[in-house]
Amino acid sequence: MRPEEDDSGGTPGPGWSGSPEEDGEWARLASVVAEEAYDAPLEELPARLCATAVRLLPVCGASVLLRGDGLPVRLGASDGTAARVADVQGTLGEGPGLDAAAAGAPVFACDLARGADLGRWPVFAEQATGAGVRAVYSLPLGEGAACVGSLDLYRDTPGEPTGRDLRTGGLVAGVVTVALMALPDEEWTVFGGGDSRLGRMTSEHEQIHQATGMIMAQLDLGAGDALARLRGYAFAHGRTAGAAAREVIAHRKRFDDE
């Protein structure tokens, strides 16, 4: 759903003009975000900006998901709870962050405990509320087909974001987007390359693909069904999809034994 905007209006863009007080507040927020991003190593930037978003916004956590062929990669999170909720989205293959990344547009789950949001993502909602998250505001990193992921903002109380919340969140998401768009081609195409944290996390993406291929061979399934079996096993045993994939690759788990 889209929230009602408050008196401060929508996210600033070309031609936006606010009051002097609003312009001053926007400049202050931009300065804070820019200071956090300045000289930050790429592998640290998503987590650092997630922590900045939590300081600037009435949210309890934030995470960055990198979009990838149906298998999102968590690039950073403000804390352990935010990391777990992000991982739940990746394991289940459902959630507002995945929808925002796929659509290249904001997606807001304003109350995961009831109503339309609970019905839209029932399993994710159950897991998120169990972790203490009642609302998620997912902002795309880019637009349309150029979207590379999502910035997910978590609240422990239900409610809609204000116009100021959206401006601040959009500013953080914009900085993350610029940083990711600036990645060299080899960082995107050679998953698992390098020693950076980004390289280590994208190697998990490759492991999931490898495990999916092994399950396809074991059960004579298509890729989609094999991935669903991997995700189902991971969820049932309280693991991430990446951890389950490593079990399959190490031959500690075979699906044709079931």
Side-chain angles (χ1 to χ4, degrees), residues 32-177:
V32 171
V33 174
E35 183 177 351
E36 286 298 326
Y38 181 71
D39 279 349
L42 176 63
E43 62 270 18
E44 296 178 9
L45 183 60
R48 186 180 293 189
L49 289 176
C50 284
T52 301
V54 173
R55 291 203 307 273
L56 296 176
L57 289 161
V59 298
C60 62
S63 63
V64 171
L65 283 176
L66 176 65
R67 182 183 184 186
D69 194 23
L71 298 166
V73 177
R74 172 172 50 84
L75 290 188
S78 60
D79 58 81
T81 297
R84 287 194 296 275
V85 176
D87 287 342
V88 166
Q89 291 195 75
T91 298
L92 295 175
E94 73 168 41
L98 273 64
D99 287 359
V107 173
F108 305 127
C110 298
D111 191 351
L112 289 168
R114 64 189 67 190
D117 296 330
L118 174 60
R120 186 174 182 181
W121 307 285
V123 183
F124 167 76
E126 178 184 8
Q127 295 294 306
T129 55
V133 171
R134 282 289 299 272
V136 183
Y137 310 144
S138 295
L139 303 176
L141 304 179
E143 297 181 356
C147 182
V148 297
S150 67
L151 170 68
D152 298 329
L153 305 171
Y154 306 110
R155 278 181 42 157
D156 54 9
T157 57
E160 297 182 355
T162 66
R164 181 186 183 280
D165 295 341
L166 296 182
R167 287 198 298 277
T168 304
L171 180 62
V172 176
V175 174
V176 176
T177 303

